[in-house]
């Protein structure tokens, strides 16, 4: 069967959130598809879909529904055929997809590290006792309090530009962003310091772009296969299995990172109490093909150490 490629008259519809970072990720997806099939830009349409997570900015995610707030409306558009594929930040994705949808395509992963962002300080050690740090991430909040229980942590939501404005307005002395987002937006002017993963384990799948499609859409499957990055998929198989067995959501502080070295996969994971008073962590290595099983085993080990009421 010959692949029916999109045309300007009948474009391939790419669904995305409307934030600058989400649009940059959709544009990267479009560029890779254009190159893979030698197609013009107008053979693709970027379709911006408003999601609840972007509409509500004054409350923590755990109070309004968790990770699905960034995906629900986009997935509904995918299911009803309004769009052909959906582009997501993988760290925002629930571990289970709605029936009929598949998430099996990943672009090459960006820098996984967190960025310490401040107009005055270079790192956490530069902050005075009791300094105010803004973050909307329970993981970052918990990691910060584990290292610096003296800090005043305040809710800090919004896109990169919004958070930088809050720093300028003195709402907080520092915040944390993903290095991947800053790189994809080419925001070289942002005063940031990359935090080693040994000091702050990133969110599961941080820095990765995932592309979702309908399970019965053979054309989308064939097109996406041309731009899929295998190593990123191998890493995320381990990380997201780890997350799935911890029942990870926006209410559970979890860090996880898989790295490849030849035929070996190294997986690190940690779970934390929200106040930072307890941290359970593990580090294991094995064959790449065993990554998902390593994720499962690590999750069960940490849950056993932490006890049934940890989360």
């Amino acid at each position: 069967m010959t692949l029916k490629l999109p045309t300007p008259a009948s474009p391939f519809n790419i669904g995305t959130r409307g934030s600058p970072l989400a649009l940059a990720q959709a544009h990267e997806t479009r560029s890779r598809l254009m190159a893979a099939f030698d197609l013009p830009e107008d053979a693709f349409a970027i379709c911006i879909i408003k999601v609840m997570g972007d509409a509500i900015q004054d409350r923590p995610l755990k109070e309004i529904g968790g990770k699905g707030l960034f995906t629900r409306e986009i997935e509904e558009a995918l299911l009803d055929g309004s769009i052909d594929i959906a582009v997501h930040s993988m760290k925002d994705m629930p571990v289970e997809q709605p029936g009929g949808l598949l998430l099996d395509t990943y672009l090459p992963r960006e820098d996984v590290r967190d960025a310490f962002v401040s107009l005055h300080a270079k790192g956490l050690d530069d902050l005075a006792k009791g300094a105010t740090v803004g973050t909307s991430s329970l993981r970052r909040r918990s990691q910060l309090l584990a290292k610096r229980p003296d800090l005043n942590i305040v809710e800090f939501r919004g896109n990169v530009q919004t958070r930088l404005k809050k720093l300028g307005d003195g709402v907080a002395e520092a915040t944390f962003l993903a290095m991947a987002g800053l790189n994809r937006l080419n925001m070289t002017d942002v005063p940031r310091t990359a935090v080693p993963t040994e000091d702050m384990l990133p969110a599961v799948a941080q820095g990765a772009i995932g592309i979702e499609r309908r399970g019965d859409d053979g054309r989308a499957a064939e097109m996406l296969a041309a731009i899929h990055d295998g190593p990123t998929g191998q890493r995320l198989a381990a990380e997201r299995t780890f997350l799935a067995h911890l029942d990870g959501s926006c209410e559970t502080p979890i860090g996880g990172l898989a790295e490849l070295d030849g035929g070996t996969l190294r997986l690190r994971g940690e779970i934390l109490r929200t106040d930072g008073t307890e941290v359970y962590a593990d580090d294991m290595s094995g064959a790449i093909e065993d990554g998902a099983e390593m994720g499962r085993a690590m999750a069960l080990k940490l849950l056993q150490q932490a006890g049934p009421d940890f989360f």
Side-chain angles (χ1 to χ4, degrees):
M1 183 175 174
T2 303
L3 176 63
K4 184 179 179 181
L5 292 173
T7 66
S10 180
F12 194 70
N13 293 318
I14 301 172
T16 178
R17 292 162 61 191
S19 72
L21 178 56
L23 288 171
Q25 295 178 160
H27 291 159
E28 179 179 342
T29 302
R30 179 178 63 186
S31 295
R32 290 180 181 275
L33 286 168
M34 288 167 55
F37 295 98
D38 193 24
L39 292 171
E41 185 175 292
D42 55 2
F44 301 89
I46 304 293
C47 305
I48 297 174
I49 298 169
K50 293 182 178 179
V51 298
M52 186 66 72
D54 289 332
I56 301 175
Q57 293 290 327
D58 58 350
R59 283 184 283 162
L61 293 177
K62 65 176 182 177
E63 293 181 6
I64 54 176
K67 288 189 177 184
L69 290 167
F70 293 114
T71 60
R72 190 173 300 122
E73 291 85 354
I74 298 175
E75 289 175 330
E76 288 171 355
L78 194 53
L79 285 167
D80 70 21
S82 301
I83 56 175
D84 294 299
I85 59 173
V87 180
H88 302 284
S89 291
M90 281 305 300
K91 70 181 181 65
D92 292 333
M93 291 300 289
V95 290
E96 292 185 11
Q97 273 62 62
L101 299 184
L102 287 178
L103 182 59
D104 58 2
T105 301
Y106 308 106
L107 301 188
R109 198 171 190 176
E110 246 287 359
D111 193 330
V112 301
R113 296 173 295 177
D114 285 306
F116 175 88
V117 179
S118 174
L119 303 180
H120 311 292
K122 291 294 186 184
L124 206 57
D125 293 341
D126 294 339
L127 295 178
K129 185 174 182 180
T132 297
V133 177
T135 180
S136 61
S137 162
L138 267 182
R139 170 189 61 87
R140 289 172 178 149
R141 173 188 291 267
S142 304
Q143 291 171 328
L144 289 170
L145 290 174
K147 295 178 181 298
R148 290 282 306 270
D150 62 288
L151 294 174
N152 175 39
I153 312 294
V154 298
E155 184 67 21
F156 222 58
R157 293 202 50 218
N159 60 34
V160 175
Q161 292 80 1
T162 300
R163 297 188 201 195
L164 291 173
K165 184 178 184 304
K166 288 181 179 180
L167 283 185
D169 291 343
V171 176
E173 294 176 49
T175 188
F176 287 84
L177 297 168
M179 285 291 293
L182 295 173
N183 290 345
R184 287 193 173 110
L185 289 169
N186 197 30
M187 300 187 76
T188 55
D189 57 331
V190 173
R192 84 284 186 97
T193 302
V195 183
T197 59
E198 290 75 20
D199 295 338
M200 184 175 264
L201 202 60
V204 163
Q206 186 158 303
I209 296 172
I211 307 172
E212 194 173 24
R213 62 178 174 86
R214 290 182 294 278
D216 60 359
D217 189 341
R219 180 179 76 149
E222 189 171 345
M223 290 181 66
L224 292 178
I227 63 171
H228 173 63
D229 185 66
T232 298
Q234 292 168 331
R235 295 170 69 183
L236 264 57
E239 292 178 30
R240 282 175 58 81
T241 302
F242 172 67
L243 185 69
H245 282 83
L246 290 171
D247 190 28
S249 70
C250 285
E251 297 182 49
T252 51
I254 297 166
L257 179 63
E259 297 166 294
L260 304 181
D261 183 7
T264 299
L265 181 143
R266 179 192 181 193
L267 178 64
R268 286 179 283 160
E270 67 178 15
I271 57 177
L272 308 94
R273 282 211 184 274
T274 53
D275 61 4
T277 55
E278 289 183 73
V279 181
Y280 295 91
D282 199 12
D283 184 338
M284 62 174 62
S285 296
I288 291 175
E289 57 267 27
D290 296 331
E293 174 56 30
M294 288 166 58
R296 186 194 69 84
M298 181 177 290
L300 297 179
K301 179 179 177 181
L302 293 182
L303 286 174
Q304 186 175 35
Q305 290 176 353
D309 301 322
F310 184 78
F311 287 130

